[in-house]
Amino acid sequence: MSPTVQPPPADPRTRATSDGTAVTITGWRCTACHYPMTQQVTACMECRGEVEETTFATEGEVWASTCLRVRVPGHQPPFAVAYVVLDGGPRVLVHTGGDQPLAPGTRARVVAVSETGDLVAEPDGPVSAQEVAS
Amino acid sequence: MSAYVYGVGTSHFGRQPGVGGPALAQQAVLEALRDAEVDSVDAVYAGTVFGAPGTAQRALQSVGITGVPVLTFENACATSSTGFHEARHAVLSGRYERVLVLGIETMTAHFNGPITPEETDAEGRAGLALPGVYAMVASRYDHLHGLRPEALAAVAVKNRRHGSLNDRAQHGVEVTAEEVLASRMVADPLTLLQCCDISDAATAAVVGVDRGRTRDVRIAASALRSGGLWDHRSDQPWGYELMGQVAADAWAEAGIGPEDVDLFEVHDAFTIGEITATEALGLAEPGGGQDLVLSGHTTLGGRQPVNPSGGLLSRGHPLGATGLAQVAEGVWHVRGEAGARQVEGARVAAVETMGGGTAGIDGNGCVVVVLGG
Ligand SMILES: [Zn+2]
């Protein structure tokens, strides 16, 4: 093998920008069936209809969650993650602070993009004891 | 008309750095050819997930199998199950009279520890390693049904006890529920003893037309699908609906249901995987997989043992070789050759393999095979 440096692969994650106070999540939505997509597409994944760039809600409901406590390249354990179904779709994978996963069924909001390029979410509204999964 | 398994073979399972694919394949293929009582095949359907290009041909020349078509499949954990599924169809369609199916994986050559997530995958890039994928399954299952830690532990205790009877297994040591739950947390709620280990191994089977021998095991059904879109509209844990669809296909083709099966080998890469698989296969109602394992129904000596081999939890998980290891276990039981772990009077075995790693769909591929009957 030649010792050339490979360019990094295209980043497949959900696209988001932060101006320091608010996060904007961008993607594509089908103009025909309204299916929301976070991966770069030129046609709808569901119906192959036309798509247009759009922004998605930053709030939604936690669908499932866990905390990884093993070494994963590029991420420092422990780190908690969750699937959040954004209001109006899509479902995104987010990191959440600390090592206590957010409980499914509770509300969360994407508040930042981490140094590693991942969406970061927090519980939406005041946290009650029941909202932190045991 | 049916296709039959003439013979099966496997290498030992375990971290065997330095042994290499050809040496592992020699063990598996020579055993399978002897078991099948054949010395040549018309084609080879091989499988490896992480192996280099040419892995199959490099291994096959070591057993003198050259000059025939060799195809290599990749379907994540379901790789050699997919090769088996396709080999069966090649025989049924009349294309070949007998096909060697081969799975090879030398994971210690590629990973120092657990499998690292694929960075071209959106969730892999975000750090969702495979234990995390299954932990998310457990989290969602808990949200839908309530998940009891003792049910997860019971899967690990049962399968590792079964594995203690399997001298080819990587981890054949019995554990207690307390030890399972007290082992290091990997991805909440899955602890270390609830996770399979990476492994180096090769597995093989010879599939062919009916040649009228009672020792050949009939393939009653085989089904394969990849998952549909798994997105914001989905209510069920990852893989559950795919497993259910593929199982339904297999039961329809076999003309039997899960109640008619004497033993199952299912994809317990993580404990929660066995619970969701038993529900998707129809052995239990949604949410009922926990009582199923806690009741003893699925233990050796129970009404329908699940993973009598010890499963992936005991055997280890050489990805591209796992599916045929499950098939081999089913064949041994249906023939009455499973030794200390023989399911008494077994006539029908079912195998389920679930492969994943692609974000956004309900699984890269799932295979369900019904043997015997
Ligand atoms: Zn559309």
Side-chain angles (χ1 to χ4, degrees):
Chain A
M1 299 293 279
S2 63
T4 53
V5 177
Q6 295 280 337
D11 193 334
R13 291 173 292 189
T14 301
R15 295 168 181 216
T17 55
S18 172
D19 64 5
T21 56
V23 170
T24 304
I25 303 172
T26 58
W28 293 264
R29 196 178 281 277
C30 179
T31 59
C33 77
H34 308 293
Y35 187 73
M37 290 153 278
T38 57
Q39 60 178 277
Q40 188 165 14
V41 288
T42 53
C44 175
M45 291 162 59
E46 182 75 323
C47 76
R48 297 182 191 148
E50 272 187 45
V51 295
E52 58 185 16
E53 287 193 46
T54 188
T55 60
F56 298 122
T58 53
E59 301 93 37
E61 185 176 311
V62 176
W63 192 88
S65 61
T66 185
C67 177
L68 283 126
R69 299 175 192 274
V70 285
R71 192 170 51 85
V72 179
H75 295 85
Q76 187 65 37
F79 60 95
V81 293
Y83 284 120
V84 174
V85 179
L86 300 176
D87 296 337
R91 187 176 67 196
V92 292
L93 181 65
V94 302
H95 285 235
T96 61
D99 67 352
Q100 294 301 308
L102 304 186
T106 62
R107 300 283 301 171
R109 181 154 44 119
V110 178
V111 294
V113 180
S114 73
E115 279 179 17
T116 55
D118 298 304
L119 299 181
V120 178
E122 287 181 350
D124 203 10
V127 186
S128 69
Q130 290 77 30
E131 284 179 329
V132 178
S134 54
Chain B
M1 180 176 162
S2 296
Y4 290 75
V5 182
Y6 294 177
V8 292
T10 80
S11 70
H12 185 70
F13 294 77
R15 295 190 180 207
Q16 309 176 71
V19 175
L24 294 167
Q26 276 189 341
Q27 297 172 40
V29 172
L30 293 178
E31 183 184 2
L33 293 175
R34 262 196 312 272
D35 193 36
E37 297 183 276
V38 301
D39 55 14
S40 66
V41 293
D42 302 324
V44 182
Y45 284 11
T48 182
V49 177
F50 299 108
T55 289
Q57 286 84 349
R58 227 167 270 128
L60 288 163
Q61 63 174 315
S62 76
V63 287
I65 297 179
T66 57
V68 296
V70 175
L71 287 74
T72 299
F73 293 85
E74 185 276 310
N75 210 3
C77 309
T79 287
S80 56
S81 311
T82 299
F84 183 84
H85 175 83
E86 289 303 314
R88 177 203 181 218
H89 278 275
V91 167
L92 287 177
S93 70
R95 183 169 192 182
Y96 301 122
E97 284 195 7
R98 60 183 184 238
V99 177
L100 173 69
V101 195
L102 171 63
I104 309 179
E105 212 69 73
T106 53
M107 294 180 70
T108 58
H110 303 281
F111 301 103
N112 288 322
I115 299 172
T116 52
E118 173 56 46
E119 62 176 13
T120 59
D121 184 77
E123 294 180 354
R125 186 72 165 264
L128 193 66
L130 280 165
V133 172
Y134 277 88
M136 289 288 207
V137 171
S139 169
R140 187 63 190 175
Y141 186 101
D142 181 48
H143 184 68
L144 294 174
H145 307 297
L147 177 58
R148 287 166 283 162
E150 62 267 31
L152 293 175
V155 173
V157 169
K158 170 178 70 70
N159 291 356
R160 288 171 188 274
R161 186 174 62 245
H162 294 173
S164 73
L165 302 172
N166 183 353
D167 58 13
R168 300 186 196 213
Q170 184 166 3
H171 293 290
V173 178
E174 291 195 53
V175 295
T176 65
E178 293 70 28
E179 286 169 338
V180 171
L181 296 176
S183 62
R184 186 162 60 86
M185 188 62 79
V186 171
D188 307 16
L190 304 175
T191 57
L192 186 62
L193 289 173
Q194 302 185 49
C195 306
C196 66
D197 198 353
I198 68 165
S199 184
D200 304 314
T203 50
V206 179
V207 173
V209 296
D210 187 0
R211 57 179 182 174
R213 295 198 192 176
T214 53
R215 204 161 159 275
D216 294 345
V217 172
R218 190 172 76 94
I219 307 169
S222 176
L224 162 67
R225 290 189 193 213
S226 65
L229 290 175
W230 184 67
D231 56 28
H232 59 287
R233 300 166 298 185
S234 306
D235 191 41
Q236 293 296 324
W238 174 81
Y240 181 74
E241 288 164 311
L242 173 60
M243 288 189 288
Q245 290 159 355
V246 175
D249 292 344
W251 300 142
E253 190 192 0
I256 62 172
E259 66 281 1
D260 303 313
V261 176
D262 300 307
L263 69 122
F264 295 81
E265 283 283 310
V266 308
H267 200 77
D268 62 333
F270 302 87
T271 48
I272 184 66
E274 178 171 312
I275 291 174
T276 55
T278 52
E279 294 175 16
L281 286 163
L283 268 174
E285 293 295 307
Q290 301 181 85
D291 284 337
L292 187 77
V293 64
L294 288 165
S295 72
H297 185 97
T298 56
T299 197
L300 273 174
R303 158 87 175 80
Q304 292 177 295
V306 172
N307 286 323
S309 68
L312 282 61
L313 286 171
S314 298
R315 190 171 48 230
H317 187 20
L319 267 74
T322 282
L324 285 180
Q326 296 174 304
V327 167
E329 182 75 8
V331 165
W332 290 327
H333 281 276
V334 170
R335 285 181 179 162
E337 297 174 355
R341 59 184 192 281
Q342 176 67 43
V343 172
E344 210 55 48
R347 293 180 59 252
V348 182
V351 166
E352 177 266 339
T353 329
M354 178 73 198
T358 298
I361 58 171
D362 201 24
N364 295 24
C366 178
V367 174
V368 174
V369 172
V370 182
L371 298 165

